[in-house]
Structures are given as C-alpha cells and as structure tokens.
C-alpha cells in the first residue's frame, strides 16, 4: 500500500479502505484457477499428447533457412496468407474458409468471444477442459450435457438443450479428449441439421483416425472444424492451430481475432510442414500401431481397464487410486496425466510414446500394481 494514498485516505476522514483487486473481477472469473502446468525435467513425458517424434531434420533446416530471410523488426502477416493458402490446398476448403490461430486453444476462445458471449455454450462432458474455461472467460455460460455410459454423445439431449435460444455454440470433440472415442459423421450431421447453433467439431486428433468432418463443411453453414499442428505434426512448442468453416463464419471470427496472433516463425514452420505432409505419414502410422499394441497390453494387465481410443492417447483405470499410481509412475520417471479432474474418476491418461517408452511405462505400471 502506497503511504501517500494511506495519508490521503485518512485526510478524507474515511476509514482506511483496503484495495481488493478481486472485487474488480467478474464473478465467473473468481472461481477460476490459473492454468499452470508443472514441469518435471528428465522424465519420460507421456502427459500432454505431444508427438514423441521430432520434426524431420530436413524440414527443420528448411524452416531455419526461410526464417533467416525474414525481418524480425516487422509485424507478421496478420492474415497468415501463405499458410492459409497451404491449408486450403491441404484441406480442400477455400482460403476464405480458413483461419489460423496461436494454437487451437486461441481459436476456441475466439469462437466463444465471437458467438458465445452473453449466451450459452454446450459442452459434452467429460471432455477437454479448455471449453469450460474459455467459455467463462468469454462471458458465456457453459452448459454440460453428459455423455452416455460408453462415452457416446447423447445426441437427443444435446439437440433438446440447444432448443434454448440462448445456446449459441455446441462443442463436440472427436476423437474426444480424454475418452478417446469418436462421434460418427452421421451423428454430427444429425446435430447440424437439427440446431440453429454453431457446431464446433474439435478434431485436434483427427490425423489419428479415419473420418473427418471437413467433408461436411460445404453442406452445413453452421459447422466449424478445429485442428492443430500440436499433435500429429510435432509443433506443440510453436502454437499453431487452424479452423475450417464456410466463409461467412470465418469473416465474423476475423473481426475478433488479435491482428497479429500468429508470429512469423510459426507461420513459416506450419507452411513448411504442409509442404511435406507425406513425411508425417510414417510416424502417424507408427503411433497408431503403437496405440493398438499399448491398448492390448494394458487390458491384459489384471485389474486394468483401458478405453478404446482413436487418438494418440489411452485412458485407463487400475485397481489402485489414480493419484497413487500417478505418483508412483512419476517416482519411476514417467509422467502421465491424472484425468480425475476432467470428469473421469480414478482414471489416468497416457500418451502413446515411442515403442521403447511405452515398454518402460508398462513395466513400471506392472511393478506398481505388483503384477508378475
Ligand atoms: C491439445 C488439444 C487442443 C489444443 O491444441 P493447441 O493447438 O496446442 O492449442 C485442442 N483441443 C483438444 C481436444 C486438445 O486435446
């Protein structure tokens, strides 16, 4: 507290009024905790669904060559023109139906700020935690529609809830983080047909599964497909996401987006990666194969139940409390994610790593569960 301010307050004859910053904050924000992720140097990192394989060295070299020619004193291209052209080519959606963001996370916030503020957003829980957080930040009310016992989206419940004219956005994550299952195109189309809300399909893990809703965009003006370079494309550290929709939707979103949201370096890196999509086919196929092996091995362990996944992670429960298994794995140098707070009591989520990492994880888990 500033002394002069204190004296001034006394002089005004008032009782001393303590400054309380939390009174300046909207009520919805008071209950939020900062999103902090602990770092554990030197562990086998299987907690954040990153790609365990680094970018091919030839692509890294090409990125550095390109970036070297850039003027860092200049602002980046605010519309990420070159990247959006590549995105258009890669996805088959016209350039003005594409938009790039500082990670898919930023785009989630931009979508809610544009369409959700003052209204409601439907979330199919258990699902990715940022939908709820960004909805609150954007001043929209998150409305949770629980998934069914097998984690399938409850279509009828979603459609019924969305009859409320305050519902502006419905978010469906497919494959869903953290449950791993997909929602079929048929089911997504059913929701699209029967609602006036915007339907956002988060395909952050789309490259690890077969179907994509991108093929539905031409037909449905209320569809937005969200994607990222963080998972299949090994660029989590550079924060690049994108969305695909019909041009009128993108036009609204561009009004709200920060003008220079995506830095020069990241724009080049993503552009370069899209020049070489074939280079990633091999590692993506390896991850899918490793996922199937890991799934079978997990379910072979006594007391372990793993849920089928079409992403690059597997969620599972064991005979012991999740917290205990998490801590024991960490002591053995393996970091996974406790997804209890994501609405899956006593469950852990493990990212599919390199085969040798998956082996070490399985061995550590067997030790902890005293199997063999
Ligand atoms: C990882 C993840 C994202 C965030 O992707 P970024 O591009 O790294 O921000 C978005 N949605 C889901 C479901 C995710 O799991």
């Amino acid at each position: 507290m500033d002394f002069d301010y204190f004296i001034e307050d006394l002089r005004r004859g008032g009782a001393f009024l303590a400054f309380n910053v939390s009174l300046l904050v909207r009520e919805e924000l008071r209950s939020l905790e900062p999103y902090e992720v602990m770092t554990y140097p030197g562990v086998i990192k299987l907690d954040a669904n990153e790609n365990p394989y680094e970018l091919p060295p030839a692509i890294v070299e090409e990125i550095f060559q390109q970036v070297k020619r850039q003027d860092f004193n200049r602002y980046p291209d605010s519309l990420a023109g070159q990247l959006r052209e590549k995105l258009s080519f890669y996805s088959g959606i016209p350039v003005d139906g594409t938009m790039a963001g500082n990670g898919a996370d930023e785009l989630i916030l931009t979508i809610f700020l544009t369409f959700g503020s003052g209204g409601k957003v439907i979330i199919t829980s258990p699902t990715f935690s940022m939908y709820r957080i960004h909805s609150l930040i954007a001043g929209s009310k998150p409305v949770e529609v629980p998934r069914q016992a097998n984690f399938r989206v409850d279509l009828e419940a979603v459609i019924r809830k969305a009859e409320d004219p305050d519902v502006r956005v419905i978010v469906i994550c497919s494959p869903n983080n953290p449950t791993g299952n997909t929602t079929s195109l048929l089911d997504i189309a059913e929701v699209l047909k029967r609602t006036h809300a915007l339907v956002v399909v988060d395909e952050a893990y789309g490259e690890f599964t077969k179907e994509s809703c991108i093929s539905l965009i031409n037909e449905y003006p209320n569809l937005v497909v969200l994607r990222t370079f963080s998972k299949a494309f090994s660029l989590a550290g550079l924060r690049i996401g994108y969305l695909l929709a019909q041009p009128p939707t993108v036009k609204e979103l561009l009004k709200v987006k920060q003008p220079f949201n995506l830095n020069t370096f990241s724009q080049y890196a993503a552009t370069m990666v899209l020049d070489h999509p074939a280079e990633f086919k091999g590692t993506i196929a390896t991850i899918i194969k490793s996922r199937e092996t890991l799934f079978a091995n997990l379910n072979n362990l006594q007391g372990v139940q793993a849920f089928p996944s079409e992403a690059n992670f597997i969620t599972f429960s064991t005979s012991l409390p999740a917290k205990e298994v998490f801590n024991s794995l960490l002591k053995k140098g393996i970091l996974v994610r406790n997804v209890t707070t994501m609405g899956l009591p006593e469950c852990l989520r493990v990212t599919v790593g390199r085969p040798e990492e998956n082996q070490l994880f399985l061995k550590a888990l067997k030790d902890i569960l005293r199997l063999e």
Side-chain angles (χ1 to χ4, degrees):
M1 176 66 56
D2 183 79
F3 186 71
D4 287 340
Y5 177 75
F6 179 58
I7 295 296
E8 180 58 30
D9 193 63
L10 280 180
R11 202 174 284 138
R12 271 193 258 124
F16 175 72
L17 290 173
F19 174 69
N20 183 351
V21 77
S22 72
L23 294 176
L24 302 179
V25 173
R26 268 187 287 140
E27 194 172 334
E28 310 90 87
L29 296 190
R30 279 181 217 155
S31 61
L32 281 183
E33 291 290 332
Y35 194 94
E36 281 164 10
V37 180
M38 293 264 281
T39 54
Y40 303 90
V43 294
I44 294 179
K45 206 172 171 306
L46 302 176
D47 66 318
N49 305 337
E50 295 140 324
N51 193 318
Y53 301 100
E54 283 164 29
L55 276 190
I59 297 184
V60 175
E61 193 46 44
E62 217 174 308
I63 293 169
F64 281 125
Q65 287 306 325
Q66 284 280 348
V67 166
K68 245 192 244 170
R69 288 189 225 125
Q70 294 310 302
D71 298 325
F72 288 157
N73 57 325
R74 302 296 177 197
Y75 282 103
D77 174 358
S78 75
L79 288 175
Q82 223 191 339
L83 172 56
R84 286 170 82 208
E85 289 211 359
K86 296 281 176 193
L87 285 172
S88 167
F89 184 75
Y90 176 71
S91 65
I93 299 295
V95 175
D96 53 1
T98 70
M99 179 169 150
N102 199 271
D105 277 351
E106 186 204 25
L107 293 171
I108 293 167
L109 179 60
T110 306
I111 291 167
F112 292 170
L113 285 169
T114 310
F115 300 104
S117 293
K120 295 176 184 168
V121 168
I122 288 181
I123 294 166
T124 55
S125 48
T127 194
F128 189 46
S129 54
M130 295 314 291
Y131 308 142
R132 189 183 149 270
I133 295 170
H134 279 332
S135 164
L136 291 171
I137 294 172
S140 57
K141 188 167 182 255
V143 177
E144 298 197 23
V145 177
R147 286 170 176 256
Q148 291 163 336
N150 55 1
F151 302 134
R152 207 177 147 182
V153 171
D154 188 341
L155 295 184
E156 291 306 319
V158 167
I159 291 163
R160 217 177 319 117
K161 269 264 192 296
E163 284 169 7
D164 176 350
D166 283 345
V167 170
R168 311 278 161 72
V169 184
I170 298 168
V171 187
I172 297 175
C173 186
S174 179
N176 185 43
N177 180 8
T179 60
N181 62 311
T182 53
T183 300
S184 74
L185 258 56
L186 227 57
D187 284 357
I188 300 277
E190 186 71 15
V191 178
L192 285 163
K193 266 183 231 161
R194 293 171 56 194
T195 184
H196 293 288
L198 192 76
V199 178
V200 177
V201 180
D202 186 343
E203 293 189 343
Y205 303 96
E207 287 82 3
F208 301 105
T209 185
K210 294 172 207 89
E211 288 187 328
S212 168
C213 285
I214 295 174
S215 59
L216 299 177
I217 290 174
N218 276 338
E219 204 175 330
Y220 297 99
N222 55 338
L223 172 62
V224 174
V225 177
L226 200 55
R227 291 216 155 195
T228 179
F229 284 79
S230 298
K231 311 284 158 65
F233 290 127
S234 298
L235 286 178
L238 297 191
R239 316 298 307 123
I240 310 142
Y242 64 98
L243 61 78
L244 306 166
Q246 289 197 4
T249 306
V250 171
K251 195 171 170 194
E252 296 303 324
L253 290 163
L254 288 174
K255 295 178 190 170
V256 174
K257 164 186 107 59
Q258 291 293 306
F260 304 108
N261 60 330
L262 196 52
N263 70 76
T264 303
F265 194 105
S266 297
Q267 288 192 30
Y268 268 100
T271 305
M272 245 16 97
V273 160
L274 289 183
D275 272 340
H276 304 277
E279 302 248 4
F280 293 84
K281 287 232 168 80
T283 47
I284 291 170
T286 305
I287 291 167
I288 292 171
K289 223 169 123 217
S290 304
R291 175 186 76 205
E292 297 313 315
T293 309
L294 182 59
F295 176 70
N297 287 334
L298 272 169
N299 270 334
N300 272 337
L301 300 182
Q302 206 192 336
V304 174
Q305 192 198 358
F307 301 111
S309 168
E310 298 202 37
N312 68 339
F313 57 80
I314 295 175
T315 292
F316 64 97
S317 62
T318 75
S319 48
L320 296 176
K323 199 171 168 190
E324 188 179 327
V325 178
F326 174 90
N327 286 329
S328 304
L329 281 169
L330 191 55
K331 269 196 207 124
K332 291 173 179 289
I334 295 166
L335 182 63
V336 297
R337 181 77 194 267
N338 186 343
V339 290
T340 301
T341 56
M342 289 171 86
L344 285 173
E346 299 310 335
C347 284
L348 296 167
R349 187 191 69 198
V350 62
T351 304
V352 179
R354 298 166 185 250
E356 61 276 18
E357 294 175 321
N358 302 334
Q359 282 306 318
L360 288 167
F361 158 72
L362 280 167
K363 179 168 183 319
L365 186 62
K366 271 189 219 168
D367 285 350
I368 292 160
L369 300 174
R370 299 188 200 292
L371 301 171
E372 288 179 344

